[in-house]
Amino acid sequence: MTSPPRHTRLRPTDLLRLGLIGPRTRKTRSALSALGICLGIAAVIAVTGISSSNQAHLLARLDRLGSNLITVAPGKGPDQRPVPLPPTAEKMLANIAPVQEVTATGATEAEVYRNDLVPKEQTGGISVLAARLNLLDVLHVTLRSGKWLDRASENLPVTVLGDQAAQRLGVTAPGERVWLGGQSYIVGGILAPNELVPELGTAALVGWPRAQAHLGADGTAATVYLRPHPERVPDVQDVAGATANPANPGLVAVSRPSDLLMARSEAKGALTGLVLSLAGVALLVGGVGIANTMVVGVMERRGEIGLRRALGARGGQIAVQFLLEAVLMGFIGGIGGLITGSLAVYGYALAQGWPVSVPLYTIVAGPSVSVLVAAVAGIYPALRAAGASPTDALRSA
């Protein structure tokens, strides 16, 4: 009595060869299906990589500028008008234990023009401020050209212009003269832009003693800048208002400019969700493309399926063959998307002068997601192929 034939299992290498039959014989159709997955993964990698590179660039700039800067300025009263800081505010704030550096600017009654022929109503939105000598050191502001005020020039008709103020006045280099407070002032220097203190960009800065003697400054700080210990910034923020104006702490505006930069970065990051949604649509389209290719492949290869079933291939082996074809297309598309997206991040970051940063989780998740999408897309065609009757398949071939 003969024993029934035993079911045999295909080795992994045999399964791999079977899975490559479809991509090798239908190269163009398979490539187009994999392209959909490739574009989706490339979009995910590019969006997350560019956002991460932008964040790395911002954090690096904050580290150079110092994210521990606190600004104390007049708040608004019930009539919505600024309430000046008390004359003791600057000194009192300097006495807070964690505060390491303090500087200030003061308001003046002066206006600045290119020359004395410019009409008085055309101020150009430029403010004239009294400045402490340590202003640049505390704020980490640099000069684009020229020199900063010193012990001698703070008593003389010398001004240092912000970058935007110089542009509006038509000043291109130190040594030129402007009409400030009804007198000719020489421009000693021009500041470089600084994201943490943009208000200095539209200001003409003069020495504190000069402002008090000739420009109507009362010696009271209009804005006080603090540099506390980095780990004690929240503590200083909590007490700065009450310290500057103990009688009315609610009339003091305390802010941390670096928080504004981070908020701006997060606002830009909100667009990332939209772009990722579009990338998800691209992945979905790629998955549908793979499913369509596999369904058409099942219909076109019914003769092959029937012949294999007639020779003893089980339905599960047929299903695995077609599922492997889908997964291979997804894997190829995922690797292609990873390479394309990484190149896009590298090129964009290089053009912007940013550090290149591609999150590790996207490198791992990209191909993994593409394989998962392809596997889901290939389940139905694989089951359809596995359920085909050998006689019907051979008859319709």
Side-chain angles (χ1 to χ4, degrees):
M1 183 177 180
T2 60
S3 58
R6 292 181 300 173
H7 293 296
T8 59
R9 295 181 179 274
L10 293 176
R11 294 175 296 179
T13 54
D14 296 329
L15 287 173
L16 182 60
R17 281 196 293 268
L18 286 174
L20 288 172
I21 291 177
R24 284 186 304 178
T25 56
R26 296 165 177 81
K27 296 179 181 179
T28 302
R29 185 180 296 170
S30 299
L32 291 176
S33 298
L35 181 61
I37 293 289
C38 177
L39 293 177
I41 296 300
V44 173
I45 298 295
V47 169
T48 54
I50 290 175
S51 298
S52 179
S53 299
N54 184 21
Q55 185 181 31
H57 170 70
L58 177 62
L59 292 176
R61 290 190 63 82
L62 286 177
D63 289 340
R64 290 195 299 268
L65 295 173
S67 58
N68 62 329
L69 178 65
I70 294 177
T71 300
V72 179
K76 292 183 178 180
D79 57 356
Q80 296 303 307
R81 293 183 178 180
V83 179
L85 296 174
T88 58
E90 184 179 357
K91 184 177 180 181
M92 294 295 291
L93 289 168
N95 290 330
I96 300 176
V99 173
Q100 299 173 326
E101 295 178 296
V102 178
T103 191
T105 58
T108 71
E109 299 176 355
E111 294 178 345
V112 59
Y113 307 92
R114 186 66 178 92
N115 53 55
D116 58 347
L117 300 179
V118 178
K120 290 187 176 181
E121 61 271 11
Q122 297 182 8
T123 61
I126 302 172
S127 58
V128 179
L129 301 176
R132 299 293 189 189
L133 292 182
N134 66 339
L135 184 71
L136 299 194
D137 293 334
V138 175
L139 300 183
H140 299 177
V141 176
T142 59
L143 285 163
R144 191 174 70 188
S145 58
K147 294 174 55 179
W148 177 240
L149 302 169
D150 55 26
R151 290 293 181 186
S153 60
E154 71 171 348
N155 294 285
L156 300 174
V158 177
T159 181
V160 175
L161 300 177
D163 60 302
Q164 296 180 50
Q167 183 179 6
R168 294 176 188 178
L169 291 172
V171 176
T172 58
E176 299 183 33
R177 290 187 173 271
V178 294
W179 191 254
L180 193 154
Q183 185 179 354
S184 179
Y185 273 62
I186 188 170
V187 177
I190 300 175
L191 300 179
N194 188 289
E195 290 90 341
L196 291 185
V197 281
E199 62 271 17
L200 297 186
T202 57
L205 303 168
V206 298
W208 202 278
R210 179 76 187 184
Q212 284 186 274
H214 300 277
L215 303 178
D218 60 4
T220 301
T223 305
V224 182
Y225 301 96
L226 312 176
R227 286 282 187 187
H229 189 280
E231 296 181 359
R232 302 292 301 277
V233 171
D235 299 332
V236 175
Q237 281 183 288
D238 291 339
V239 302
T243 304
N245 191 347
N248 295 291
L251 299 180
V252 180
V254 180
S255 63
R256 186 180 178 188
S258 58
D259 288 340
L260 300 179
L261 290 179
M262 291 301 295
R264 186 177 64 181
S265 175
E266 292 175 2
K268 289 183 178 179
L271 296 175
T272 301
L274 175 61
V275 180
L276 288 177
S277 299
L278 297 177
V281 173
L283 283 175
L284 178 61
V285 171
V288 172
I290 289 179
N292 180 64
T293 299
M294 298 307 299
V295 170
V296 173
V298 170
M299 297 175 62
E300 292 179 347
R301 297 160 64 184
R302 291 179 65 86
E304 173 193 337
I305 295 171
L307 180 60
R308 289 196 59 209
R309 292 296 306 275
L311 293 176
R314 291 177 295 167
Q317 294 173 339
I318 301 294
V320 169
Q321 172 187 344
F322 282 86
L323 190 60
L324 275 176
E325 289 184 13
V327 169
L328 284 172
M329 283 191 289
F331 179 74
I332 293 171
I335 295 299
L338 175 61
I339 296 173
T340 304
S342 299
L343 290 175
V345 173
Y346 181 82
Y348 188 85
L350 187 65
Q352 297 292 329
W354 296 349
V356 180
S357 176
V358 179
L360 180 61
Y361 68 88
T362 60
I363 296 176
V364 176
S368 302
V369 170
S370 66
V371 169
L372 178 62
V373 170
V376 172
I379 288 176
Y380 171 72
L383 294 177
R384 183 171 178 174
S389 169
T391 54
D392 292 340
L394 288 172
R395 188 182 302 114
S396 60

